[in-house]
Amino acid sequence: MAPLRMLLVTFALFASQAYADVQRVFVQTEIDDDHIIIVTEKGEQLLLEKWSLKFSPLLFEGKSFLAEISPLWVTIHIEGKDPIKWSIEKHLGNVDVAKPKSSQGKPEPKAKPAPEQTCYKTNIQEPTPFNGNGGELIMLADGSIWKDSSYLYLYLYEYYPEVVLCPAEGKMILKGHVFHVTRMK
């Protein structure tokens, strides 16, 4: 019975990461170094407990970060640092994330549509293998071409890796590494 239980737990953990959604999150409250309350782009308020043992100074409150959100975990990506993984301890409900209406009775100007999605998952098609070395031209599965300007030298040797691309921010994330990219085509 124990091997079956281990298999189910492993499957649940894998499935929770396979369906992670990339969103911008806002750190509403820092309770202590191991507990924070965040609000997702969708307005969900979550109490998180730090899963990883990485030290995170109490400097997150009132700031926004990119995060991968699954049903059980939240991985917050902090520019220039390793990502921090948190378990979702409690769903605190939803909050209204709509912008406040003008109080002077004037109609709000219509917002321009965003030219590109905030973030999405895709795969690197070229170069093969992808090394993560500075200055590489990167062709994605959709045919777009990006230039890496972060000048990291990682020697990853990844074949068709899945990445999270955030065009509006000029960032590409691969296994916790944040690359600064510029669209070439």
Side-chain angles (χ1 to χ4, degrees):
M1 190 63 140
L4 179 60
R5 186 174 185 176
M6 288 290 289
L7 180 63
L8 290 173
V9 168
T10 303
F11 176 75
L13 289 174
F14 173 75
S16 72
Q17 290 302 314
Y19 295 106
D21 184 25
V22 177
Q23 296 182 42
R24 183 156 288 285
V25 298
F26 176 75
V27 179
Q28 185 179 37
T29 307
E30 289 179 295
I31 299 167
D32 56 35
D33 189 45
D34 293 326
H35 298 88
I36 61 174
I37 296 174
I38 66 165
V39 178
T40 69
E41 281 181 350
K42 296 177 181 175
E44 191 171 10
Q45 194 175 30
L46 303 171
L47 171 63
L48 305 181
E49 181 176 357
K50 191 176 355 165
W51 177 257
S52 58
L53 297 176
K54 295 178 181 148
F55 175 70
S56 58
L58 299 176
L59 302 173
F60 297 146
E61 193 168 305
K63 294 183 182 175
S64 293
F65 301 96
L66 279 179
E68 293 176 73
I69 302 171
S70 75
L72 301 173
W73 308 101
V74 173
T75 302
I76 297 177
H77 296 276
I78 303 161
E79 189 169 346
K81 300 190 184 290
D82 289 334
I84 300 176
K85 190 171 186 176
W86 307 77
S87 61
I88 298 174
E89 290 300 305
K90 189 173 184 180
H91 293 264
L92 302 174
N94 288 332
V95 295
D96 186 15
V97 292
K99 293 181 182 175
K101 294 184 179 178
S102 174
S103 60
Q104 299 174 345
K106 296 178 185 177
E108 294 273 331
K110 290 187 178 179
K112 294 179 184 176
E116 300 178 12
Q117 288 178 296
T118 304
C119 297
Y120 62 93
K121 289 185 180 182
T122 186
N123 291 82
I124 295 176
Q125 298 300 304
E126 291 181 16
T128 303
F130 176 70
N131 288 317
N133 295 335
E136 289 181 299
L137 286 178
I138 302 163
M139 185 168 75
L140 301 177
D142 64 2
S144 64
I145 298 176
W146 299 78
K147 181 173 174 117
D148 171 19
S149 60
S150 54
Y151 293 100
L152 299 172
Y153 293 96
L154 302 174
Y155 304 104
L156 298 172
Y157 294 101
E158 294 281 339
Y159 289 86
Y160 311 106
E162 184 177 80
V163 295
V164 174
L165 182 69
C166 301
E169 297 179 27
K171 293 181 183 177
M172 180 180 75
I173 302 167
L174 169 63
K175 294 185 178 178
H177 301 288
V178 178
F179 298 89
H180 296 279
V181 294
T182 305
R183 187 170 187 148
M184 305 303 287
K185 179 180 170 201

